[in-house]
Amino acid sequence: QVQLVESGGGLVQAGGSLRLSCAGSGRTFSGYVMGWFRQAPGKEREFVGAIIWSSSSTYYADSVKGRFTITRDVAMNTVLLQMNSLKPEDTAVYYCAADRRSWGYSRSSGSYDYWGQGTQVTVSS
């Protein structure tokens, strides 16, 4: 039982940066895989990256690798998504998600049990 709240979205120019936060309540992320997904208008929900909470191991989609970084703040029970060198094609609603598994990660949205409400990221050219 985890409730997820995303924050940090907004409007930024191409080449700029944003940092998204996903705060959890009700239960710590310990033992979970935390994922980030995004969905642009008219497109399917897309895997962005994930972090295995227990090990802090991270995984990224090729489209964001080298630009986005996922970290954890254990004390705040929060997952962070640092987005640098943003491109217009990064424009989407970004969602934080939690998977109760702790032994691996999935790129499929259907594998995740809990979802945040989403936060809009808009990158202008």
Side-chain angles (χ1 to χ4, degrees):
Q1 285 61 51
V2 174
Q3 297 81 46
L4 305 176
V5 179
E6 300 107 326
S7 62
L11 174 65
V12 65
Q13 290 186 323
S17 298
L18 283 173
R19 185 173 67 181
L20 306 184
S21 297
C22 174
S25 63
R27 186 173 179 175
T28 70
F29 293 155
S30 180
Y32 285 71
V33 176
M34 302 301 301
W36 285 97
F37 291 79
R38 66 187 183 186
Q39 189 164 22
K43 295 187 177 181
E44 298 293 318
R45 189 164 295 187
E46 175 188 27
F47 174 79
V48 174
I51 182 168
I52 299 176
W53 192 262
S54 60
S55 65
S56 196
S57 298
T58 54
Y59 307 87
Y60 301 95
D62 289 342
S63 59
V64 306
K65 205 167 190 177
R67 300 188 297 120
F68 291 11
T69 304
I70 300 172
T71 56
R72 63 175 186 169
D73 187 329
V74 176
M76 297 298 295
N77 201 44
T78 297
V79 179
L80 305 173
L81 177 64
Q82 179 67 46
M83 304 184 294
N84 298 326
S85 301
L86 283 162
K87 306 173 181 179
E89 50 263 46
D90 295 319
T91 295
V93 176
Y94 283 70
Y95 297 91
C96 177
D99 184 341
R100 288 175 289 181
R101 299 175 302 164
S102 63
W103 55 88
Y105 84 102
S106 176
R107 294 172 177 260
S108 174
S109 61
S111 297
Y112 290 79
D113 303 294
Y114 307 103
W115 292 82
Q117 81 285 353
T119 186
Q120 177 71 47
V121 172
T122 302
V123 184
S124 63
S125 60

